[in-house]
Amino acid sequence: MKILQPIKIGFFIGIITLIATSCDKKQTAEERKADSLAHCIADGIPSRASAIKNASYITEGKGDTTGMAWINGGKFLMGADEFPDSRPMHEVTVNGFYIDKHEVTNAEFAAFVKATNYKTVAERPLNPADYPGVPADKLVPGSAVFTPTPTRVSLDNPLQWWNYVAGASWAHPEGPSSSIKGRENYPVTHVSYEDAAAYAKWAGKRLPTEAEWEFAAQGGKGNHTYYWGDELKPGNKWVANIYQGSFPDKNTKEDGFLTAAPVQTFPANPYGLYDMDGNVWEWCEDLYRPDYYQKSPKDNPKGPADSYDPDEPGAVKRVQRGGSFLCSDDYCIRYKAGSRGKGEVTSGSNNLGFRCVKDKI
């Protein structure tokens, strides 16, 4: 069911009402614990469809494999029985590919912007025609920023902790007064699918299929509860940047980080890949459908021909993978192995980034 909710457009311009959607139905506590996907990503932010521009002016780069790992490819069991849209678990074969060892960083994205003068979706104006009744001067560029609540709150409405902040973008992660200075080695955030795809084209790469992404995340170890294994804290140590404490009001930072961590902070998997769990969600190439695994091809699946999410039937969504610093075993469990995320293609937030892949040269 589509639910219309108000959106906060940052403390700079006050609160205005926009038509937007929250992609979750109300759930019982048990259902929420079992599947809280809709609350751990930035749902309900304004659609930026009108801001999308064709990125064809980006010249495709030759690309190289510096900072990438070669994955031989092979056969594996994909999916997870724990999640409705990750069923059934099914055997898949992927060809070999190169994949970035870590998420694309602020420094790497800054080099792309400097070379191309690219403007991300979050930096582009909103079209007043898409928001009838809202004063044009209130429709300013921005993006969704996770903001802890002062006290514990009901978890039914994610807009309590997601704010649309005027001026928030990849270069200003928390708004105009923030910057990426000193955070060059952190994953770039506030990137839409189009932004990620444009960077990949410039770099001579592409975004991974979700089959490639999951194969790489498994690290050759097969299916486990988490991509690193079956224990949440192996050796009593946190091995991924996720959430500890009371969500969304108190993150105890047991893993050392309140939000995103610098890339390569936590241990790599057997393929030499970092942060395949937690830190930031990562865009994949595949369009999203919850029923895709019921008919997915066995060889190199590339996703369905169209997108459909029953929670937001009119939205075009792509798959996101890996979870973020807002996920935990007590709350959002969509960082677990085999689980899937989803995002409207024009959306961005401060827990959403990407990494790239490249075919064999």
Side-chain angles (χ1 to χ4, degrees), residues 25-62:
K25 297 174 286 187
K26 288 189 176 180
Q27 298 173 300
T28 66
E30 183 177 352
E31 288 171 331
R32 187 183 304 114
K33 182 176 176 63
D35 187 4
S36 53
L37 168 64
H39 298 306
C40 63
I41 55 179
D43 295 312
I45 67 172
S47 170
R48 303 298 300 274
S50 64
I52 287 293
K53 298 177 182 178
N54 193 304
S56 59
Y57 72 89
I58 299 295
T59 301
E60 185 168 0
K62 295 181 179 180

Short mmCIF file of all heavy atoms in Angstrom, two decimals, residues 25-62:
data_model
loop_
_atom_site.label_atom_id
_atom_site.label_comp_id
_atom_site.label_asym_id
_atom_site.label_seq_id
_atom_site.Cartn_x
_atom_site.Cartn_y
_atom_site.Cartn_z
N LYS A 25 4.77 -1.04 4.74
CA LYS A 25 3.53 -1.13 5.45
C LYS A 25 3.84 -1.25 6.93
O LYS A 25 4.92 -1.65 7.33
CB LYS A 25 2.75 -2.36 4.98
CG LYS A 25 2.37 -2.31 3.51
CD LYS A 25 1.74 -3.59 3.07
CE LYS A 25 2.78 -4.69 2.93
NZ LYS A 25 2.22 -5.92 2.34
N LYS A 26 2.88 -0.93 7.78
CA LYS A 26 3.10 -1.10 9.21
C LYS A 26 3.28 -2.57 9.51
O LYS A 26 2.59 -3.42 9.00
CB LYS A 26 1.94 -0.51 10.00
CG LYS A 26 1.90 1.02 9.95
CD LYS A 26 0.88 1.56 10.91
CE LYS A 26 0.93 3.09 10.92
NZ LYS A 26 -0.06 3.66 11.86
N GLN A 27 4.21 -2.87 10.37
CA GLN A 27 4.55 -4.24 10.70
C GLN A 27 4.49 -4.45 12.20
O GLN A 27 4.63 -3.50 12.98
CB GLN A 27 5.97 -4.57 10.24
CG GLN A 27 6.16 -4.47 8.73
CD GLN A 27 7.62 -4.65 8.39
OE1 GLN A 27 8.47 -3.89 8.82
NE2 GLN A 27 7.91 -5.67 7.62
N THR A 28 4.31 -5.68 12.60
CA THR A 28 4.46 -6.02 14.01
C THR A 28 5.94 -5.99 14.34
O THR A 28 6.81 -5.99 13.46
CB THR A 28 3.91 -7.43 14.28
OG1 THR A 28 4.73 -8.38 13.59
CG2 THR A 28 2.47 -7.56 13.83
N ALA A 29 6.25 -5.95 15.64
CA ALA A 29 7.65 -5.95 16.06
C ALA A 29 8.37 -7.18 15.53
O ALA A 29 9.52 -7.12 15.11
CB ALA A 29 7.74 -5.88 17.58
N GLU A 30 7.69 -8.31 15.54
CA GLU A 30 8.30 -9.55 15.06
C GLU A 30 8.59 -9.47 13.57
O GLU A 30 9.67 -9.85 13.11
CB GLU A 30 7.37 -10.73 15.35
CG GLU A 30 7.97 -12.08 14.95
CD GLU A 30 7.05 -13.24 15.30
OE1 GLU A 30 6.04 -13.01 15.99
OE2 GLU A 30 7.36 -14.35 14.88
N GLU A 31 7.64 -8.93 12.82
CA GLU A 31 7.85 -8.80 11.37
C GLU A 31 8.96 -7.81 11.08
O GLU A 31 9.77 -8.00 10.18
CB GLU A 31 6.55 -8.34 10.70
CG GLU A 31 5.48 -9.40 10.64
CD GLU A 31 4.16 -8.84 10.16
OE1 GLU A 31 3.88 -7.65 10.39
OE2 GLU A 31 3.39 -9.59 9.56
N ARG A 32 9.01 -6.74 11.85
CA ARG A 32 10.04 -5.74 11.62
C ARG A 32 11.42 -6.30 11.88
O ARG A 32 12.37 -6.05 11.15
CB ARG A 32 9.80 -4.52 12.52
CG ARG A 32 10.73 -3.35 12.21
CD ARG A 32 10.51 -2.20 13.17
NE ARG A 32 9.14 -1.78 13.15
CZ ARG A 32 8.32 -1.91 14.19
NH1 ARG A 32 8.76 -2.45 15.31
NH2 ARG A 32 7.08 -1.50 14.11
N LYS A 33 11.56 -7.06 12.96
CA LYS A 33 12.86 -7.65 13.27
C LYS A 33 13.27 -8.62 12.18
O LYS A 33 14.43 -8.71 11.82
CB LYS A 33 12.80 -8.39 14.61
CG LYS A 33 14.14 -9.01 15.03
CD LYS A 33 14.04 -9.63 16.40
CE LYS A 33 15.33 -10.33 16.78
NZ LYS A 33 16.46 -9.44 16.88
N ALA A 34 12.27 -9.32 11.60
CA ALA A 34 12.58 -10.30 10.57
C ALA A 34 12.94 -9.65 9.24
O ALA A 34 13.74 -10.16 8.49
CB ALA A 34 11.39 -11.25 10.37
N ASP A 35 12.36 -8.49 8.98
CA ASP A 35 12.61 -7.88 7.68
C ASP A 35 12.36 -6.38 7.76
O ASP A 35 11.26 -5.90 7.54
CB ASP A 35 11.72 -8.51 6.61
CG ASP A 35 12.08 -8.01 5.21
OD1 ASP A 35 13.05 -7.26 5.09
OD2 ASP A 35 11.38 -8.38 4.26
N SER A 36 13.41 -5.63 8.07
CA SER A 36 13.25 -4.19 8.27
C SER A 36 13.92 -3.39 7.16
O SER A 36 14.39 -2.29 7.37
CB SER A 36 13.83 -3.78 9.62
OG SER A 36 15.16 -4.25 9.75
N LEU A 37 13.91 -3.93 5.97
CA LEU A 37 14.57 -3.28 4.84
C LEU A 37 14.13 -1.83 4.67
O LEU A 37 14.95 -0.94 4.49
CB LEU A 37 14.28 -4.05 3.55
CG LEU A 37 14.66 -3.35 2.23
CD1 LEU A 37 16.15 -3.14 2.17
CD2 LEU A 37 14.19 -4.16 1.05
N ALA A 38 12.84 -1.60 4.73
CA ALA A 38 12.33 -0.27 4.38
C ALA A 38 12.80 0.82 5.33
O ALA A 38 12.81 1.98 4.97
CB ALA A 38 10.81 -0.29 4.36
N HIS A 39 13.21 0.46 6.53
CA HIS A 39 13.57 1.47 7.51
C HIS A 39 15.07 1.76 7.55
O HIS A 39 15.48 2.70 8.21
CB HIS A 39 13.09 1.06 8.89
CG HIS A 39 11.60 0.93 8.97
ND1 HIS A 39 10.74 1.94 8.62
CD2 HIS A 39 10.82 -0.11 9.36
CE1 HIS A 39 9.49 1.55 8.80
NE2 HIS A 39 9.51 0.31 9.23
N CYS A 40 15.90 0.94 6.93
CA CYS A 40 17.34 1.17 7.05
C CYS A 40 17.92 1.78 5.79
O CYS A 40 19.11 1.92 5.66
CB CYS A 40 18.06 -0.13 7.39
SG CYS A 40 17.92 -1.39 6.14
N ILE A 41 17.05 2.18 4.88
CA ILE A 41 17.48 2.97 3.73
C ILE A 41 16.64 4.23 3.70
O ILE A 41 15.65 4.36 4.40
CB ILE A 41 17.34 2.18 2.40
CG1 ILE A 41 15.92 1.66 2.23
CG2 ILE A 41 18.33 1.05 2.35
CD1 ILE A 41 15.70 0.91 0.95
N ALA A 42 17.04 5.19 2.89
CA ALA A 42 16.41 6.50 2.94
C ALA A 42 15.13 6.54 2.13
O ALA A 42 15.08 7.07 1.03
CB ALA A 42 17.38 7.57 2.44
N ASP A 43 14.07 5.97 2.67
CA ASP A 43 12.79 5.98 1.99
C ASP A 43 12.04 7.26 2.27
O ASP A 43 12.23 7.91 3.28
CB ASP A 43 11.94 4.80 2.45
CG ASP A 43 12.54 3.49 2.04
OD1 ASP A 43 12.92 3.36 0.88
OD2 ASP A 43 12.67 2.61 2.91
N GLY A 44 11.13 7.60 1.37
CA GLY A 44 10.26 8.73 1.61
C GLY A 44 10.83 10.06 1.18
O GLY A 44 10.17 11.07 1.34
N ILE A 45 12.05 10.08 0.65
CA ILE A 45 12.58 11.35 0.20
C ILE A 45 11.98 11.70 -1.16
O ILE A 45 11.47 10.84 -1.86
CB ILE A 45 14.12 11.32 0.11
CG1 ILE A 45 14.58 10.37 -0.99
CG2 ILE A 45 14.73 10.94 1.43
CD1 ILE A 45 16.06 10.44 -1.24
N PRO A 46 11.99 12.97 -1.55
CA PRO A 46 11.36 13.36 -2.80
C PRO A 46 11.97 12.66 -4.01
O PRO A 46 13.17 12.51 -4.09
CB PRO A 46 11.62 14.87 -2.87
CG PRO A 46 11.89 15.28 -1.47
CD PRO A 46 12.55 14.11 -0.82
N SER A 47 11.13 12.26 -4.93
CA SER A 47 11.63 11.72 -6.18
C SER A 47 12.32 12.84 -6.95
O SER A 47 11.82 13.95 -7.02
CB SER A 47 10.47 11.17 -7.02
OG SER A 47 10.92 10.86 -8.32
N ARG A 48 13.45 12.53 -7.52
CA ARG A 48 14.19 13.53 -8.28
C ARG A 48 14.17 13.23 -9.77
O ARG A 48 15.07 13.59 -10.50
CB ARG A 48 15.64 13.59 -7.78
CG ARG A 48 15.78 13.87 -6.30
CD ARG A 48 15.22 15.23 -5.93
NE ARG A 48 15.91 16.26 -6.66
CZ ARG A 48 17.04 16.82 -6.23
NH1 ARG A 48 17.58 16.45 -5.10
NH2 ARG A 48 17.63 17.77 -6.95
N ALA A 49 13.09 12.55 -10.21
CA ALA A 49 13.04 12.10 -11.60
C ALA A 49 13.22 13.25 -12.58
O ALA A 49 13.85 13.11 -13.62
CB ALA A 49 11.72 11.39 -11.86
N SER A 50 12.67 14.41 -12.25
CA SER A 50 12.76 15.54 -13.17
C SER A 50 14.18 16.06 -13.30
O SER A 50 14.51 16.76 -14.25
CB SER A 50 11.85 16.67 -12.70
OG SER A 50 12.29 17.15 -11.44
N ALA A 51 15.03 15.74 -12.33
CA ALA A 51 16.40 16.25 -12.36
C ALA A 51 17.33 15.38 -13.18
O ALA A 51 18.45 15.76 -13.48
CB ALA A 51 16.94 16.35 -10.93
N ILE A 52 16.86 14.19 -13.54
CA ILE A 52 17.72 13.28 -14.29
C ILE A 52 18.02 13.84 -15.67
O ILE A 52 17.15 14.25 -16.41
CB ILE A 52 17.06 11.89 -14.42
CG1 ILE A 52 17.13 11.18 -13.07
CG2 ILE A 52 17.71 11.04 -15.48
CD1 ILE A 52 18.54 10.83 -12.63
N LYS A 53 19.29 13.82 -16.02
CA LYS A 53 19.73 14.22 -17.35
C LYS A 53 20.55 13.09 -17.93
O LYS A 53 21.23 12.37 -17.21
CB LYS A 53 20.57 15.49 -17.27
CG LYS A 53 19.82 16.70 -16.72
CD LYS A 53 20.76 17.89 -16.61
CE LYS A 53 20.04 19.10 -16.04
NZ LYS A 53 20.94 20.25 -15.87
N ASN A 54 20.51 12.96 -19.20
CA ASN A 54 21.30 11.91 -19.84
C ASN A 54 22.78 12.20 -19.67
O ASN A 54 23.25 13.29 -19.93
CB ASN A 54 20.93 11.85 -21.33
CG ASN A 54 21.47 10.61 -21.99
OD1 ASN A 54 22.66 10.34 -21.93
ND2 ASN A 54 20.60 9.85 -22.60
N ALA A 55 23.50 11.20 -19.20
CA ALA A 55 24.93 11.38 -18.94
C ALA A 55 25.78 10.99 -20.15
O ALA A 55 26.95 10.67 -20.01
CB ALA A 55 25.35 10.57 -17.73
N SER A 56 25.19 11.05 -21.35
CA SER A 56 25.92 10.60 -22.54
C SER A 56 27.12 11.48 -22.84
O SER A 56 28.01 11.09 -23.58
CB SER A 56 24.98 10.56 -23.75
OG SER A 56 24.43 11.85 -24.00
N TYR A 57 27.14 12.69 -22.28
CA TYR A 57 28.28 13.56 -22.54
C TYR A 57 29.53 13.08 -21.81
O TYR A 57 30.64 13.54 -22.09
CB TYR A 57 27.96 15.00 -22.12
CG TYR A 57 27.89 15.22 -20.63
CD1 TYR A 57 29.04 15.57 -19.91
CD2 TYR A 57 26.70 15.09 -19.94
CE1 TYR A 57 28.98 15.77 -18.55
CE2 TYR A 57 26.64 15.29 -18.58
CZ TYR A 57 27.78 15.63 -17.89
OH TYR A 57 27.71 15.82 -16.53
N ILE A 58 29.37 12.15 -20.89
CA ILE A 58 30.53 11.58 -20.20
C ILE A 58 31.27 10.67 -21.17
O ILE A 58 30.70 9.74 -21.72
CB ILE A 58 30.11 10.78 -18.96
CG1 ILE A 58 29.40 11.69 -17.95
CG2 ILE A 58 31.31 10.11 -18.32
CD1 ILE A 58 30.26 12.75 -17.35
N THR A 59 32.53 10.97 -21.40
CA THR A 59 33.34 10.15 -22.30
C THR A 59 33.74 8.87 -21.59
O THR A 59 34.23 8.90 -20.46
CB THR A 59 34.60 10.92 -22.74
OG1 THR A 59 34.20 12.12 -23.40
CG2 THR A 59 35.44 10.06 -23.68
N GLU A 60 33.54 7.75 -22.26
CA GLU A 60 33.87 6.47 -21.64
C GLU A 60 35.38 6.32 -21.54
O GLU A 60 36.11 6.50 -22.50
CB GLU A 60 33.28 5.32 -22.45
CG GLU A 60 33.49 3.97 -21.79
CD GLU A 60 32.66 2.88 -22.44
OE1 GLU A 60 31.93 3.17 -23.40
OE2 GLU A 60 32.76 1.72 -21.98
N GLY A 61 35.84 5.99 -20.36
CA GLY A 61 37.28 5.86 -20.13
C GLY A 61 37.81 4.51 -20.58
O GLY A 61 37.05 3.55 -20.77
N LYS A 62 39.10 4.44 -20.76
CA LYS A 62 39.74 3.18 -21.13
C LYS A 62 39.79 2.23 -19.94
O LYS A 62 39.66 1.03 -20.09
CB LYS A 62 41.16 3.44 -21.67
CG LYS A 62 41.18 4.24 -22.97
CD LYS A 62 42.61 4.44 -23.45
CE LYS A 62 42.64 5.22 -24.76
NZ LYS A 62 44.02 5.44 -25.25
#
